[in-house]
């Protein structure tokens, strides 16, 4: 995705910029896991020193002393993104982006978030739906087969409301997206829920065992999400 204008960049540098384009943000932990095994932390520091400034910008994550990295406006233009992707993320956008990054890159089972161009190319009917502009999708493999999965981040509240949101989404998609009912019938679609609490995860799993959705559902726990959500409430 990164063009030949950046001739001073290595192939790993280009892959890192593509990664940030895909996820909107990244962190040291995600970079270390995806790009610096087995080279380690010292190699990450060397590359980070070269990229942060001209290609990436660093912002406080709000969790301890950690930071997240975004494309600079110039790099956004270089990789075909609008400059708006270089703006600081708001109090709802940051928890969502961080949760998606952690689920895909740090959960122990690697996934790949679909960039909007990939979604448009591979699933044009879904990409054209009104909700798609504000939704995250990835390819997830369960039981030996790949499924398109919508990632839903829990922003707090009671777990029944989250399950109702999933049911409403599936109903709307079935009614309005050509071929979506076939995807459900073929077990080619799934939902991934990211929540901050293990107790809520267990409540969701128990509720879905009693009244299942018509798709496979994976529930992941990201404890750091609590900190980001609390900041949003305090602000």
């Amino acid at each position: 995705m990164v063009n030949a204008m950046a001739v001073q960049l290595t192939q790993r540098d280009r892959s890192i910029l593509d990664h940030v384009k895909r996820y909107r943000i990244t962190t040291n932990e995600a970079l270390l896991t995806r790009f610096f095994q087995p080279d380690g932390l010292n190699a990450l520091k060397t590359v980070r020193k070269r990229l942060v400034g001209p290609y990436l910008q660093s912002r406080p994550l709000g969790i301890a002393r950690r930071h997240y990295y975004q494309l600079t406006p110039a790099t956004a233009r270089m990789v075909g993104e609008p400059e708006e992707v270089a703006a600081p993320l708001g109090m709802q956008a940051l928890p969502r982006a961080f949760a998606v990054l952690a689920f895909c890159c740090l959960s122990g089972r690697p996934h790949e978030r679909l960039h909007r161009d990939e979604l448009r190319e591979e699933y044009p009917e879904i990409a054209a739906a009104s909700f798609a502009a504000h939704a995250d999708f990835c390819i997830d493999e369960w039981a030996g087969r790949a499924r398109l999965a919508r990632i839903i981040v829990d922003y707090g509240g009671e777990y029944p409301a989250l399950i109702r949101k999933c049911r409403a989404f599936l109903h709307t998609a079935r009614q309005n997206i050509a071929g979506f009912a076939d995807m459900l019938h073929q077990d080619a679609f799934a939902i991934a829920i990211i929540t901050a609490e293990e107790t809520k995860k267990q409540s969701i799993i128990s509720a879905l065992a009693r009244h299942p959705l018509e798709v496979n559902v994976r529930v992941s726990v990201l404890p750091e999400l609590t900190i980001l959500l609390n900041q949003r409430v305090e602000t």
Side-chain angles (χ1 to χ4, degrees):
M1 295 179 186
V2 179
N3 65 30
M5 292 172 57
V7 294
Q8 69 270 41
L9 296 174
T10 67
Q11 183 56 52
R12 179 160 61 182
D13 294 339
R14 294 185 177 93
S15 296
I16 289 171
L17 298 185
D18 282 347
H19 162 79
V20 182
K21 174 179 178 177
R22 179 180 299 278
Y23 289 98
R24 296 172 288 188
I25 68 169
T26 194
T27 63
N28 288 320
E29 295 79 11
L31 291 173
L32 190 61
T33 299
R34 280 290 176 99
F35 300 102
F36 294 93
Q37 302 294 336
D39 295 341
L41 185 58
N42 287 337
L44 167 59
K45 289 179 178 178
T46 298
V47 173
R48 187 180 62 198
K49 184 176 181 180
R50 181 172 66 250
L51 294 181
V52 174
Y55 295 99
L56 298 176
Q57 53 189 327
S58 173
R59 302 189 190 279
L61 180 59
I63 300 175
R65 298 170 64 183
R66 294 161 65 182
H67 291 75
Y68 71 93
Y69 304 99
Q70 289 178 285
L71 302 175
T72 64
T75 307
R77 293 193 301 271
M78 186 178 74
V79 300
E81 292 287 278
E83 287 190 15
E84 287 78 6
V85 304
L89 296 185
M91 286 299 171
Q92 181 160 319
L94 181 56
R96 170 183 158 190
F98 177 72
V100 172
L101 176 75
F103 173 75
C104 290
C105 300
L106 299 172
S107 65
R109 180 195 292 264
H111 309 84
E112 201 73 279
R113 177 183 183 268
L114 292 181
H115 186 271
R116 64 177 180 276
D117 293 339
E118 295 169 326
L119 186 70
R120 191 179 301 120
E121 179 178 349
E122 299 176 30
Y123 301 93
E125 294 85 1
I126 291 176
S130 59
F131 64 80
H134 305 287
D136 295 287
F137 296 89
C138 71
I139 300 299
D140 196 7
E141 294 191 7
W142 298 347
R145 66 173 300 172
R147 297 173 178 86
L148 176 67
R150 180 173 179 186
I151 305 173
I152 295 179
V153 178
D154 173 23
Y155 293 107
E158 300 297 325
Y159 75 87
L162 189 61
I163 295 175
R164 288 195 296 271
K165 177 179 179 179
C166 294
R167 292 191 190 280
F169 158 70
L170 291 171
H171 175 76
T172 300
R174 178 187 278 276
Q175 296 297 316
N176 295 284
I177 298 176
F180 191 79
D182 291 336
M183 291 184 70
L184 299 181
H185 181 71
Q186 296 165 11
D187 191 22
F189 192 86
I191 289 178
I193 298 173
I194 307 172
T195 186
E197 303 170 4
E198 181 65 31
T199 54
K200 184 175 285 190
K201 171 183 175 178
Q202 296 306 323
S203 295
I204 293 170
I205 290 173
S206 297
L208 292 179
R210 296 190 300 270
H211 303 287
L213 297 179
E214 52 188 331
V215 297
N216 284 288
V217 179
R218 179 193 302 281
V219 187
S220 296
V221 176
L222 180 63
E224 297 96 327
L225 191 55
T226 298
I227 300 173
L228 295 178
L229 293 175
N230 286 342
Q231 289 177 349
R232 183 184 64 154
V233 171
E234 292 169 1
T235 300

